[in-house]
Amino acid sequence: MAGLQDLMGAAGALHRTKGSRKRVWALPRIRQGADSRPESLLRLLLEEYGFTGLDVNHPVTVRQGRLVLHPDLSIPHRRLAFEYEGDGHRVDQRQWHTDIERRDLLEAEGWHVVRVTARDLFQDRAAFYERLRRFVTNVDIRGTKVDIRDECRG
């Protein structure tokens, strides 16, 4: 299996071929561990919105260390998690209840969980952006917010 450095080397050798601009754009954005294409697209969208330090499936210990959860995307030092909810999460009753429990466990540990759907990602990004601006209060989104915890320390 080729590693990222191998891919970058191959892309460099193909710099004047069809698709070279897309390769140059995509290669530095590759992250291992995403479970689905929408999760990767969500990460790219959040980065476009100015979110930095996004981890893929970062382990979060809950229940006094007895259980480890892995949110789809997170900014651990902000205790902010993003969970992509595909349609299967809605129609599968077992998955639906598991998702509710996961959110409750993360929030009990002081995490803020943002649930994201296909509508947010593919149909109404403007509404999703506004929802982020209103509810994600501890992250600067393109200069529209300040970290409220820093203000309180101030």
Side-chain angles (χ1 to χ4, degrees):
M1 181 194 262
L4 183 56
Q5 293 303 318
D6 297 326
L7 293 172
M8 292 181 112
L14 300 170
H15 69 280
R16 292 182 187 228
T17 61
K18 185 176 181 177
S20 64
R21 280 189 227 140
K22 289 180 181 179
R23 283 190 297 275
V24 167
W25 179 89
L27 282 171
R29 291 167 175 81
I30 290 174
R31 301 292 179 278
Q32 291 182 340
D35 293 327
S36 69
R37 178 178 177 267
E39 288 176 19
S40 293
L41 294 173
L42 173 59
R43 180 181 53 81
L44 293 171
L45 180 63
L46 292 171
E47 288 174 352
E48 181 182 316
Y49 287 165
F51 284 84
T52 58
L54 288 161
D55 286 350
V56 177
N57 291 318
H58 180 83
V60 177
T61 304
V62 298
R63 289 188 177 160
Q64 293 91 31
R66 294 181 304 211
L67 180 64
V68 178
L69 301 177
H70 297 87
D72 297 335
L73 298 168
S74 64
I75 304 175
H77 72 281
R78 300 284 189 191
R79 292 185 173 269
L80 177 61
F82 297 89
E83 294 279 27
Y84 181 78
E85 308 284 357
D87 202 44
H89 293 256
R90 182 186 61 80
V91 298
D92 181 332
Q93 193 172 63
R94 182 171 170 229
Q95 183 65 54
W96 177 254
H97 289 288
T98 299
D99 291 345
I100 291 170
E101 182 180 12
R102 284 171 52 88
R103 181 178 182 166
D104 288 348
L105 290 168
L106 288 166
E107 289 181 347
E109 297 292 327
W111 283 71
H112 182 86
V113 179
V114 178
R115 297 173 68 192
V116 183
T117 66
R119 180 182 176 140
D120 298 321
L121 194 54
F122 301 112
Q123 296 170 5
D124 198 351
R125 286 185 174 183
F128 177 54
Y129 181 83
E130 287 305 313
R131 184 162 56 100
L132 289 173
R133 287 188 58 224
R134 284 193 314 272
F135 296 112
V136 181
T137 59
N138 63 344
V139 176
D140 181 29
I141 302 175
R142 290 279 180 240
T144 60
K145 292 195 176 198
V146 295
D147 186 332
I148 60 172
R149 291 180 292 189
D150 288 344
E151 287 181 345
C152 294
R153 289 184 205 119

